[in-house]
Amino acid sequence: MTVKLFEPYTLKNVTLKNRIVMSPMCMYSCENEDGIVNDWHRTHYTSRAVGQVGLIILEATAVTPQGRISPQDLGIWSDDHIEGLADLVRMIKSHGSVAGIQIAHAGRKAELEGEIVAPSAIAFNEKSKTPKEMSKEEIKETVEAFKQGVLRAKKAGFEVIELHGAHGYLINEFLSPLSNQRTDEYGGSAENRYRFLKEIIEEVKSIWDGPLMVRVSANDYHPEGLAPEDYVQFGKWMKDQGVDLIDVSSGAVVPARISVFPSYQVPYAQKIKEEAAIDTGAVGLITSPLQAEEILQNGRADLVLLARELLRDPYWPRRAAKELGAKIESPKQYERGWN
Ligand SMILES: Cc1cc2nc3c(=O)[nH]c(=O)nc-3n(C[C@H](O)[C@H](O)[C@H](O)COP(=O)(O)O)c2cc1C
């Protein structure tokens, strides 16, 4: 049996050395509140590259200051951000990993001073601020901000772009009828709720021809919300627009009780892969090498994304290779201790 976890995978024109992906994780570590990369980010991301992760996706990185989840988020709203990000790309690449970045806007989930924006003036919960409903002009400006963010990511040298369409942030707020109650062409039917994401993808595609991923929340866990079937349709539209892979997460558009267990989101990744005929990534409580291998061998997803397990063990790929009997390269400095 060949170990699938360590088989290379080609995403459009970029080949990953294995199928292990570091899932985007906010570090809330820009102490100066300027969105600029600092030593924490350099150490954190480079460690996982040394650990032989195939693709490292940087945390949600905000396209506008107002689109940050917290004041300490990474940013990509100004050219001043490019230098630090380029430094990270160089460090990640120097260990043979591919550098990706998650481009994001927090919408109504921004926990910031001042005004926050969303498709409709509906607060996330009773403790959160009520957002201002975006005007069409603001929608246009935000689509443009996503495009400019991707352009800066390209200048910084990233090879993979992921748009953050999950977890109840701005794009997800447009998609879900629970958070989008607009009566114009951005609300109502599925086509209309998809329009914001559609326009972002269109603009991004005009300046970016590398691999494009979109992270979605495939289940709102609410009777009036979106279910995996809805994301099969969105998946087909994304595929038609040239999206290469859908990274399938779930939840967080509205507060909900979710029962979580190992691989709980994998069936959504499998459904979208099979029914929309697009490659998918699986994420959520994937912790053991055999579990990751099962997902790939059974064709339930094309990539596995790990978040918290990679916080616990930046060298997880090494452990996985040992357990699955695969041989992987070590950084040459570590050869004496690696195998
Ligand atoms: C500290 C932390 C920060 C996170 N930040 C992000 C983020 O920036 N973008 C995102 O899409 N998901 C984020 N997530 C969710 C993870 O990417 C992942 O989907 C989730 O933790 C489930 O995977 P796991 O069980 O392997 O941890 C974050 C999770 C953690 C633990």
Side-chain angles (χ1 to χ4, degrees):
M1 184 187 93
T2 52
V3 179
K4 195 111 181 162
L5 193 57
F6 292 97
E7 251 179 30
Y9 171 73
T10 301
L11 189 58
K12 202 168 187 184
N13 53 348
V14 172
T15 299
L16 314 177
K17 65 183 167 187
N18 59 44
R19 291 166 186 247
I20 304 167
V21 182
M22 179 175 181
S23 195
M25 277 179 282
C26 285
M27 290 288 105
Y28 309 116
S29 291
C30 302
E31 289 91 5
N32 297 332
E33 305 189 0
D34 53 7
I36 290 180
V37 165
N38 61 34
D39 281 351
W40 172 260
H41 306 100
R42 290 188 188 91
T43 305
H44 169 67
Y45 289 109
T46 308
S47 305
R48 277 73 195 173
V50 170
Q52 304 301 301
V53 170
L55 168 63
I56 294 179
I57 306 180
L58 254 66
E59 64 202 81
T61 302
V63 296
T64 64
Q66 196 184 32
R68 290 174 293 178
I69 302 166
S70 83
Q72 289 79 26
D73 288 16
L74 276 183
I76 197 154
W77 64 81
S78 135
D79 288 350
D80 297 341
H81 294 120
I82 298 173
E83 190 183 337
L85 291 168
D87 221 22
L88 271 187
V89 171
R90 178 184 58 74
M91 294 171 85
I92 290 170
K93 273 178 116 166
S94 71
H95 300 285
S97 298
V98 169
I101 183 167
Q102 189 182 53
I103 305 290
H105 189 299
R108 70 176 181 175
K109 288 178 112 179
E111 291 175 21
L112 304 169
E113 302 278 318
E115 182 181 272
I116 61 169
V117 295
S120 301
I122 310 165
F124 173 69
N125 63 22
E126 59 289 348
K127 285 192 215 118
S128 50
K129 212 185 261 185
T130 301
K132 172 183 169 300
E133 176 176 315
M134 289 167 86
S135 66
K136 283 203 206 163
E137 194 49 39
E138 285 167 322
I139 292 177
K140 244 174 101 182
E141 284 165 11
T142 310
V143 170
E144 178 64 21
F146 270 92
K147 177 185 180 181
Q148 293 304 323
V150 172
L151 200 52
R152 293 187 187 103
K154 184 176 170 179
K155 286 184 183 154
F158 285 97
E159 290 182 89
V160 172
I161 297 292
E162 175 169 281
L163 300 173
H164 197 347
H167 302 162
Y169 297 113
L170 188 62
I171 292 174
N172 196 176
E173 289 162 19
F174 271 90
L175 293 174
S176 175
L178 299 174
S179 43
N180 180 351
Q181 294 178 4
R182 297 179 73 92
T183 52
D184 61 8
E185 68 268 34
Y186 290 95
S189 66
E191 285 88 344
N192 282 358
R193 283 181 277 107
Y194 180 73
R195 194 175 309 281
F196 180 61
L197 175 56
K198 179 177 171 215
E199 291 178 356
I200 292 172
I201 296 171
E202 260 165 27
E203 287 303 316
V204 165
K205 293 290 280 186
S206 73
I207 48 112
W208 173 258
D209 59 6
L212 180 62
M213 300 170 50
V214 178
R215 173 166 272 201
V216 300
S217 274
N219 197 342
D220 288 350
Y221 304 104
H222 187 286
E224 277 101 55
L226 297 177
E229 291 71 46
D230 298 297
Y231 279 90
V232 170
Q233 182 60 68
F234 290 145
K236 287 179 183 165
W237 289 338
M238 284 187 241
K239 187 185 176 184
D240 288 346
Q241 286 195 274
V243 169
D244 300 289
L245 185 138
I246 302 186
D247 168 7
V248 186
S249 187
S250 71
V253 148
V254 289
R257 281 184 94 80
I258 308 174
S259 137
V260 300
F261 47 86
S263 297
Y264 72 105
Q265 296 173 146
V266 175
Y268 309 147
Q270 181 169 359
K271 185 177 173 71
I272 294 170
K273 180 175 166 57
E274 287 171 355
E275 296 178 29
I278 185 165
D279 282 7
T280 59
V283 66
L285 277 175
I286 301 169
T287 55
S288 90
L290 264 182
Q291 181 193 3
E293 185 66 7
E294 181 278 324
I295 294 165
L296 298 172
Q297 287 285 357
N298 279 319
R300 305 173 76 194
D302 301 278
L303 294 174
V304 288
L305 291 92
L306 280 73
R308 288 163 293 180
E309 191 62 11
L310 278 172
L311 295 184
R312 290 185 277 268
D313 181 3
Y315 297 165
W316 188 89
R318 171 182 170 274
R319 178 151 60 84
K322 277 191 132 175
E323 210 172 302
L324 299 172
K327 225 171 150 46
I328 62 164
E329 267 182 49
S330 65
K332 72 175 185 324
Q333 297 88 337
Y334 286 3
E335 268 163 14
R336 288 179 66 182
W338 192 260
N339 291 312

